Amino acid sequence: MTARLGASVNGALARADWGRNAVPYARKKSKSFTVLAGVALAASLIVAPLVGSAASAEEPALVGKVGVIQDAGQEQNKTSYWEQEFSEFDAKCYKHEGNDINNSHGKLTNGGLTVTLNEYDDSWWGNQWVVLVVKSGNLNNVIENPVAGTAYASPINNGGQQAQVSHWIVCKGDVPEQEPEQPAPLKSDKVETTFDCETDVATVTTTTTTTPYVWDEQAQKWVLGTPVVAEPVVTERPLTDEEQQDCPPDTTVVTTEWEDGVWECGDTTVEQTREVTTTLVDWQGNPIGEPTVVTETRTRDLTQEELAECPLVPGEIESVCLGDVPYLGYEVSLPEGYEVDSETPVTITFVNPDGEDYVVENQPLAGTLLWPGASASAPKMWPGWALVDGEYVETDGNYAWTREGVTVEFHVNPDYETAITYPEATALCANPPIGGGDEPASTPSAPPALAVTGGGVSPILPIAGGAALLMGLAALAIVAYRRRVAS
């Protein structure tokens, strides 16, 4: 939008560009924004235009935007004065007193020190604000082409301080519109090139920055806006011979596979070795000097599968008697580093050389197990014996094959096996009573049982004399057995 404003030599109103592509300036008509001060210097009266207090370097900083500060006379307090001044825009002016703090045109802001105009209403006369006059004391702050939303200052008072607005005049006008030509945006390219001597490729990254021009309402001109950086454009090309010659000598590295060393059961790690051969080459790939061979070592943990290749570690494993009942007492340990997620991981197998094995699963790592064919509750039984018509008779059945020596396997994932001999015939628990009586075939003192750990079949059986007496005897037997083994 433009307005045309100016003054001819004889005071006639001329037209000059004024609007969106022009900076507001003080109007120069001889009758505008001036007061006359006469001084008799000679025979003539000299009329000098005064520009308010604008020339004072001692003025305090004002709150709000300042246009042109001018002395205010009686005429300048009238809307008709300003309508005449801006008649070229068919101006219609409105006066608002300082106590009119808010109306459709604008409002007092900053505690009454500034005036802020509202957005121009399309239903109003004209198409824009053409002038705002803010008065306080004897001065006017005159702002041509004011902008809505901007706080415009009141002038200072006679005491040198910014005064409260006494009144303000605003004028609407019909300003011819003209679309100013927007300058072409500024563009700049930033080019970065990196060289990869390993792949013989040059990577070119081009980043374009575009800065558009935007319209500055206050300055009424096109100004540079915010730069916009485009996504970088990346291209590749082969290195030239000259660029390749600038590359440092390359290296070729040949590495053998890691090779395990020797490890034994009980180890949890194994040492590995490999050879690394490094050769320097020039940009054409020709070797430089002799290659360098280095042996590297590292240690890795053995896997659970590898640890499972080791057998279980045996402790005390033998046949034992608890009262007149035969048991297998055992104790095995897992290989070092091997882990299980159960408290009863052991499967115990009595190996039958001529038939089906006897298998018991879900056993602890140490404990006692009732001998195959034996019974700890009435009617008590022994392997190789059967109860016929109330009398015990020898038989080839009832796991008789376990009496002459049997192989027992212990399996978790690691395995262990050993040969176990059934208690000798002279043992208290070897055979049933003869003829169906209450006494066994022989009555020597029974060997003590191994300690029971980790659960499993309880070896504590009821016998004559009560359960408490049997538990005390068993404990004494365990202590005696441990001492004998230790010795």
Side-chain angles (χ1 to χ4, degrees):
M1 293 178 286
T2 61
R4 305 179 90 47
L5 184 64
S8 64
V9 174
N10 59 5
L13 183 66
R15 298 214 175 251
D17 286 342
W18 180 84
R20 289 183 59 188
N21 60 346
V23 179
Y25 59 96
R27 298 166 63 85
K28 299 179 181 178
K29 295 176 67 176
S30 60
K31 65 178 181 179
S32 303
F33 313 139
T34 61
V35 293
L36 298 179
V39 178
L41 298 179
S44 64
L45 180 66
I46 301 175
V47 180
L50 301 179
V51 186
S53 303
S56 173
E58 302 298 328
E59 291 181 358
L62 299 181
V63 177
K65 187 176 179 65
V66 177
V68 177
I69 303 297
Q70 298 180 344
D71 290 334
Q74 292 297 324
E75 290 299 315
Q76 284 81 8
N77 291 335
K78 300 177 181 179
T79 57
S80 59
Y81 174 86
W82 298 103
E83 289 176 349
Q84 178 62 32
E85 286 297 304
F86 290 88
S87 61
E88 65 267 36
F89 305 126
D90 293 333
K92 298 185 183 303
C93 300
Y94 306 84
K95 183 176 181 179
H96 301 285
E97 300 298 330
N99 57 5
D100 185 8
I101 61 175
N102 192 351
N103 54 69
S104 61
H105 292 156
K107 55 185 174 292
L108 295 182
T109 51
N110 292 305
L113 297 179
T114 58
V115 175
T116 302
L117 295 178
N118 294 333
E119 292 292 335
Y120 203 87
D121 193 324
D122 292 339
S123 64
W124 292 342
W125 158 254
N127 56 12
Q128 71 172 57
W129 305 114
V130 293
V131 67
L132 170 66
V133 181
V134 182
K135 179 184 179 182
S136 65
N138 297 321
L139 297 175
N140 286 336
N141 180 16
V142 180
I143 304 99
E144 295 186 18
N145 195 27
V147 178
T150 298
Y152 293 101
S154 64
I156 61 175
N157 57 20
N158 293 333
Q161 300 297 320
Q162 186 172 358
Q164 298 283 320
V165 176
S166 60
H167 74 253
W168 52 284
I169 297 174
V170 65
C171 299
K172 307 170 185 176
D174 187 12
V175 180
E177 295 185 359
Q178 177 181 347
E179 287 294 334
E181 183 177 355
Q182 183 179 12
L186 298 181
K187 290 186 177 181
S188 62
D189 291 333
K190 179 182 179 181
V191 180
E192 295 179 335
T193 304
T194 59
F195 304 102
D196 190 337
C197 293
E198 293 185 1
T199 60
D200 293 334
V201 171
T203 301
V204 181
T205 303
T206 303
T207 304
T208 300
T209 300
T210 303
T211 305
Y213 280 91
V214 296
W215 181 254
D216 188 329
E217 289 290 347
Q218 293 184 356
Q220 291 294 297
K221 65 179 180 179
W222 291 103
V223 297
L224 288 173
T226 303
V228 178
V229 181
E231 287 293 326
V233 177
V234 180
T235 59
E236 294 183 346
R237 62 172 176 79
L239 294 180
T240 65
D241 289 346
E242 291 76 16
E243 291 169 341
Q244 288 180 338
Q245 292 180 30
D246 292 335
C247 289
D250 199 358
T251 57
T252 59
V253 179
V254 178
T255 304
T256 62
E257 296 294 329
W258 287 105
E259 184 176 347
D260 287 341
V262 178
W263 62 275
E264 299 177 351
C265 290
D267 294 339
T268 58
T269 61
V270 62
E271 186 178 83
Q272 294 182 304
T273 59
R274 71 176 181 180
E275 288 188 349
V276 179
T277 302
T278 303
T279 304
L280 285 176
V281 295
D282 61 18
W283 65 280
Q284 292 179 321
N286 301 316
I288 302 174
E290 295 296 325
T292 301
V293 180
V294 176
T295 300
E296 295 181 342
T297 62
R298 72 177 184 183
T299 300
R300 72 168 179 86
D301 294 333
L302 292 173
T303 65
Q304 292 294 298
E305 291 76 11
E306 291 170 325
L307 293 173
E309 297 175 6
C310 293
L312 293 171
V313 181
E316 299 170 2
I317 303 175
E318 61 181 315
S319 60
V320 296
C321 292
L322 289 179
D324 57 354
V325 180
Y327 285 86
L328 170 67
Y330 71 94
E331 182 180 8
V332 292
S333 300
L334 298 173
E336 184 71 23
Y338 189 77
E339 299 177 356
V340 293
D341 56 3
S342 171
E343 294 183 355
T344 56
V346 180
T347 297
I348 300 175
T349 302
F350 288 77
V351 180
N352 186 353
D354 299 318
E356 185 178 357
D357 297 337
Y358 179 78
V359 181
V360 181
E361 298 178 335
N362 301 320
Q363 298 300 303
L365 292 170
T368 57
L369 179 68
L370 191 65
W371 196 273
S375 173
S377 59
K380 292 184 179 180
M381 294 298 296
W382 287 261
W385 290 84
L387 189 60
V388 180
D389 296 331
E391 293 186 359
Y392 289 102
V393 297
E394 290 190 79
T395 176
D396 291 336
N398 195 27
Y399 301 98
W401 52 271
T402 65
R403 297 180 64 91
E404 300 301 327
V406 64
T407 298
V408 180
E409 296 178 348
F410 299 86
H411 175 79
V412 175
N413 190 344
D415 295 318
Y416 175 74
E417 68 177 36
T418 186
I420 300 296
T421 302
Y422 186 73
E424 298 179 1
T426 57
L428 176 65
C429 64
N431 299 308
I434 300 301
D438 294 333
E439 295 296 328
S442 56
T443 58
S445 61
L450 293 178
V452 179
T453 59
V457 180
S458 173
I460 307 302
L461 305 174
I463 63 173
L469 178 59
L470 179 59
M471 291 175 63
L473 293 174
L476 292 174
I478 291 171
V479 172
Y481 178 76
R482 292 292 188 186
R483 290 177 177 174
R484 178 173 62 84
V485 171
S487 63

